[in-house]
Amino acid sequence: MSTTNSKSKVITCKGIVSWGKDEALKVEEIQVEPPKSAEVRLKMLRASVCHTDMLFANGFPVPSFPRVMGHEGVGVVESIGEGVTSLTEGDLVIPTYIGECKTCENCLSGNTNLCMKYPLNYTGLMLDGTSRMSIGGQTAYHEFTCSTWCQYTVVNINFVVKIDPQIPLSDASFLSCGFSTGYGAAWKEAKVENGSSVVVFGLGAVGLGAINGAKSGGASRIIGVDKNPRKEAKGRAFGMTDFINPEESHKSIEELVRDLSGGMGVDYSFECTGVPFLINQAIQSTKPGVGKIIQIGAGEESNVNINILGILIGRTLKGSIFGGIKTKSDLPIIYEKCKNREIQLDELLTHEIKLEDAYEAFELLNQPDCVKIMIKI
């Protein structure tokens, strides 16, 4: 709730905060400053929960606390800073953590979505090195460039995308990271083509996005891998043709994948968990010489052991952030597909909670039937 109706004043509102590794999330009163030059202040409407939020809550990759949580969500522009002409008050937008200037070497290359002018930011601070959030006078850190589990947040306009107000708020939030990350990995990174074969490790929102993206690319065999049997129905709803539960067989995952793909493995593998063992299984599950492995998932271990022989025989291992999607150029295409019902996200939503209850989000995320949690703000 705002302490003032003036758009030039500090707003005091509620948000969810991590105070340190392994500490419980807390609801706090947060002071949100007005936007500065090239910034907007957003009134958040919906937010959602991603496994990456758990990493930030525990101090990975940068242990900056207190951290105002969340990076998925949708909101409206409440006020604009000096020099902002591309957005107006009342616009429906999503905050993003990937920038796109369209002029730097990377943006012009067409080979990556990582902008050099507006790089990926882990510090929790704005581009000028300061924060727009505080708690009782103490600096609070953003998650990436946003912090969506808060009634208000300030974002640089280069990390904001305006969207069609006809899109359901839940879809808008889900597409702001997780599902789009997986979809983009198949579409932009692997460039899955007609008749190809695919395996996806981990059937959360990212994995389901990869399945859907592979289906859109024309893959004829799409294998999903997850130890949770409840994920099979979700995977099939998005286009999965075969399901592997590694706990139901004495064979290794790579053997099971080969059994389903003519003995040689698949063309593309998408690793969505960050579990070191599964990274190597993802490598070994692809065809020698031509197999491509897209590493999407991140865990708390910054270094993992890779089976080098699996790569030396001609496979390609590629890391991916946000599925290779460019926020200004590519993300609107995915939103249009959602609007036209080419992408249907109904199966993702499994839990709805109020912002005041979002401190329990990680407990819900670990429940076996949970895919996506919607936070009503």
Side-chain angles (χ1 to χ4, degrees):
M1 182 176 178
S2 173
T3 58
T4 175
N5 290 324
S6 173
K7 298 186 187 326
S8 64
K9 299 290 183 66
V10 172
I11 288 177
T12 297
C13 63
K14 294 185 183 301
I16 304 298
V17 175
S18 170
W19 286 94
K21 180 177 172 60
D22 297 326
E23 291 192 26
L25 300 180
K26 293 182 179 179
V27 182
E28 300 286 2
E29 293 286 323
I30 299 170
Q31 288 72 51
V32 182
E33 297 176 5
K36 294 184 179 180
S37 176
E39 296 174 356
V40 290
R41 185 161 59 188
L42 308 181
K43 179 181 181 181
M44 297 305 299
L45 302 175
R46 296 286 189 277
S48 43
V49 184
C50 173
H51 280 87
T52 302
D53 298 320
M54 299 177 72
L55 298 179
F56 271 94
N58 281 324
F60 180 89
V62 178
S64 300
F65 300 107
R67 176 87 71 174
V68 184
M69 297 301 302
H71 69 284
E72 294 185 357
V74 57
V76 294
V77 176
E78 177 266 346
S79 55
I80 61 176
E82 182 182 351
V84 175
T85 58
S86 58
L87 295 167
T88 59
E89 294 174 8
D91 282 346
L92 187 69
V93 299
I94 61 163
T96 69
Y97 58 93
I98 298 288
E100 183 186 355
C101 72
K102 296 188 177 183
T103 60
C104 74
E105 179 182 342
N106 276 6
C107 286
L108 292 174
S109 73
N111 297 324
T112 177
N113 62 337
L114 290 178
C115 178
M116 299 172 72
K117 186 175 182 180
Y118 304 109
L120 195 64
N121 182 6
Y122 298 119
T123 66
L125 301 174
M126 304 296 286
L127 296 183
D128 66 357
T130 64
S131 173
R132 301 293 171 269
M133 294 180 163
S134 60
I135 303 172
Q138 180 179 354
T139 296
Y141 295 88
H142 304 247
E143 183 177 332
F144 281 123
T145 55
C146 36
S147 293
T148 57
W149 299 6
C150 194
Q151 290 172 315
Y152 290 85
T153 188
V154 176
V155 188
N156 183 281
I157 58 169
N158 294 287
F159 297 94
V160 175
V161 176
K162 182 179 177 180
I163 60 173
D164 191 328
Q166 296 181 26
I167 296 173
L169 293 179
S170 60
D171 289 0
S173 185
F174 293 160
L175 289 174
S176 66
C177 179
F179 185 89
S180 294
T181 295
Y183 191 94
W187 170 35
K188 302 292 293 186
E189 299 280 26
K191 297 179 175 62
V192 171
E193 71 276 357
N194 192 50
S196 58
S197 55
V198 166
V199 62
V200 178
F201 288 77
L203 302 188
V206 175
L208 295 175
I211 287 173
N212 207 200
K215 179 185 177 183
S216 296
S220 58
R221 169 147 275 161
I222 304 173
I223 305 166
V225 180
D226 203 295
K227 64 181 181 181
N228 181 354
R230 299 188 186 188
K231 296 295 180 68
E232 180 175 3
K234 296 292 184 185
R236 293 193 184 279
F238 285 97
M240 182 182 73
T241 60
D242 302 272
F243 180 69
I244 292 174
N245 183 339
E247 295 189 344
E248 293 180 349
S249 175
H250 65 279
K251 292 185 177 181
S252 67
I253 298 173
E254 62 179 277
E255 289 176 311
L256 294 170
V257 172
R258 289 200 192 102
D259 289 345
L260 291 170
S261 54
M264 292 298 293
V266 295
D267 298 301
Y268 303 102
S269 181
F270 299 90
E271 206 297 301
C272 307
T273 71
V275 176
F277 167 74
L278 292 180
I279 296 172
N280 281 297
Q281 288 290 293
I283 293 171
Q284 297 297 124
S285 293
T286 64
K287 294 176 181 177
V290 296
K292 294 183 179 179
I293 306 94
I294 309 299
Q295 182 60 42
I296 312 170
E300 291 193 11
E301 295 183 47
S302 57
N303 295 290
V304 298
N305 292 320
I306 297 296
N307 182 337
I308 191 65
L309 182 60
I311 298 298
L312 287 177
I313 58 174
R315 298 182 176 103
T316 301
L317 174 62
K318 187 181 191 306
S320 176
I321 189 77
F322 199 38
I325 291 174
K326 294 185 176 183
T327 52
K328 308 288 187 183
S329 302
D330 300 327
L331 202 51
I333 297 173
I334 296 181
Y335 275 93
E336 191 66 20
K337 289 179 180 291
C338 184
K339 178 184 171 184
N340 295 336
R341 305 300 288 169
E342 294 177 51
I343 296 176
Q344 300 184 36
L345 302 181
D346 299 343
E347 289 285 338
L348 290 182
L349 179 60
T350 54
H351 294 76
E352 293 187 41
I353 59 177
K354 297 178 181 178
L355 178 65
E356 292 82 356
D357 299 323
Y359 64 90
E360 301 176 329
F362 295 156
E363 295 176 25
L364 293 175
L365 199 61
N366 287 323
Q367 292 184 2
D369 62 337
C370 184
V371 177
K372 210 64 180 168
I373 303 168
M374 176 56 57
I375 303 173
K376 292 185 175 182
I377 302 176

